[in-house]
């Protein structure tokens, strides 16, 4: 099913390409990837209609379809692949973490990394918390900025379930990074957790040497 399904979906999306939009979208993303020029609301509507007409693959077929979409040129296919993976996140086995990791380290940029880190990996690690120590350590030690960003961001939606000790430990370990995307992630993670415990974040920021960018982002809504 997945090969024919992906080919049909590809045809639908390509039929709605817009070169003028594509140029603008490519420029916004620093010319990292080619685009079809389909804006998010239209792409979402197209994929919903396609799913209504053709159904959604499940289990391994969904994973295979996502991989095939990911390989296609055109950033919109990567976004659609992530939506496909969302369909199986509630039933994925623990080992699926390795599949998700590949989406962090291939065609990497913030637009896909952040969604995978938050909505897929974060969700998966809530289901399989026993994976967290080994994988967070692996990501931090990897030297890969996007994996390190994932280690910072995967708890974004955890709220009161956030492992605060782990979050703060990860941030302390990455606080000296000169990478913009790491410093930004630190601020973002702290700002999000501040919605749950602002005092803990203020205390942590006061006691930790962070970049001005991280501090500014962390305290944006509590000062």
């Amino acid at each position: 099913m997945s090969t024919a399904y992906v080919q049909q979906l590809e045809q639908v999306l390509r039929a709605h390409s817009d070169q003028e939009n594509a140029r603008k979208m490519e420029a916004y993303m620093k010319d990292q990837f080619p685009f079809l020029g389909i804006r998010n609301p239209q792409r979402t509507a197209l994929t919903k209609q396609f799913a209504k007409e053709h159904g959604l693959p499940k289990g391994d077929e969904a994973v295979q379809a996502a991989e095939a979409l990911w390989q296609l040129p055109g950033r919109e296919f990567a976004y659609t692949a992530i939506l496909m993976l969302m369909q199986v996140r509630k039933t994925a086995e623990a080992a699926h973490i390795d599949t998700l990791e590949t989406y962090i380290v291939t065609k990497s940029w913030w637009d896909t990394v952040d969604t995978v880190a938050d909505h897929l990996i974060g969700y998966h690690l809530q289901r399989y918390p026993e994976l967290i120590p080994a994988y967070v350590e692996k990501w931090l030690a990897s030297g890969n900025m996007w994996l390190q960003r994932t280690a910072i961001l995967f708890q974004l939606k955890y709220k009161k379930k956030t492992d605060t000790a782990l979050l703060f430990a990860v941030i302390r370990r990455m606080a000296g990074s000169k990478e913009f995307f790491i410093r930004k992630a630190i601020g973002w993670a702290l700002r999000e957790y501040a919605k749950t415990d602002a005092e803990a974040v203020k205390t942590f920021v006061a006691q930790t040497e962070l970049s001005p960018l991280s501090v500014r982002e962390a305290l944006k809504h509590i000062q």
Side-chain angles (χ1 to χ4, degrees):
M1 172 186 176
S2 60
T3 300
Y5 186 92
V6 168
Q7 289 175 343
Q8 289 177 296
L9 181 52
E10 178 186 2
Q11 290 173 0
V12 167
L13 293 177
R14 287 195 184 282
H16 291 82
S17 61
D18 183 314
Q19 289 304 305
E20 183 177 351
N21 283 344
R23 286 191 292 271
K24 294 176 182 177
M25 295 164 81
E26 288 164 2
Y28 177 71
M29 297 299 293
K30 308 295 185 184
D31 293 313
Q32 295 287 317
F33 310 99
F35 277 78
L36 300 178
I38 307 173
R39 300 193 183 280
N40 283 341
Q42 184 185 17
R43 176 178 53 80
T44 300
L46 288 169
T47 52
K48 282 184 176 179
Q49 182 61 34
F50 185 86
K52 183 177 179 180
E53 295 173 0
H54 300 275
L56 287 167
K58 298 179 180 179
D60 289 342
E61 284 192 338
V63 175
Q64 292 166 12
E67 176 61 22
L69 286 164
W70 191 267
Q71 297 303 323
L72 294 172
R75 196 61 167 170
E76 290 87 345
F77 295 122
Y79 302 153
T80 306
I82 292 172
L83 289 177
M84 200 73 68
L85 291 171
M86 292 285 288
Q87 305 305 316
V88 299
R89 70 177 190 166
K90 292 182 179 180
T91 57
E93 299 293 332
H96 187 59
I97 186 67
D98 295 321
T99 298
L100 297 178
E101 191 180 81
T102 66
Y103 289 91
I104 297 294
V105 298
T106 58
K107 298 188 176 182
S108 306
W109 200 241
W110 63 264
D111 58 329
T112 56
V113 167
D114 293 356
T115 306
V116 173
D118 179 1
H119 295 285
L120 292 173
I121 288 179
Y123 185 92
H124 194 74
L125 292 181
Q126 278 194 306
R127 295 185 65 223
Y128 301 103
E130 68 276 10
L131 299 176
I132 292 175
Y135 276 87
V136 168
E137 175 57 33
K138 174 186 176 183
W139 297 336
L140 291 174
S142 68
N144 182 293
M145 176 182 69
W146 301 112
L147 288 174
Q148 291 170 339
R149 184 172 167 97
T150 298
I152 297 167
L153 295 179
F154 80 92
Q155 295 193 85
L156 272 182
K157 295 291 190 295
Y158 284 19
K159 299 181 180 179
K160 291 183 179 180
K161 295 181 179 179
T162 299
D163 183 337
T164 311
L166 175 62
L167 174 64
F168 290 169
V170 167
I171 290 173
R172 288 190 191 98
R173 189 158 166 183
M174 297 306 304
S177 174
K178 303 299 184 184
E179 293 284 357
F180 169 83
F181 285 111
I182 295 297
R183 292 181 168 190
K184 188 80 169 182
I186 288 172
W188 183 14
L190 289 172
R191 184 175 73 247
E192 193 66 22
Y193 185 62
K195 297 175 184 178
T196 298
D197 191 342
E199 289 303 317
V201 170
K202 286 195 290 185
T203 299
F204 176 77
V205 169
Q207 296 176 349
T208 308
E209 186 174 347
L210 300 171
S211 72
L213 171 60
S214 296
V215 172
R216 185 167 61 251
E217 290 292 320
L219 302 179
K220 182 177 289 185
H221 301 307
I222 56 176
Q223 279 192 335

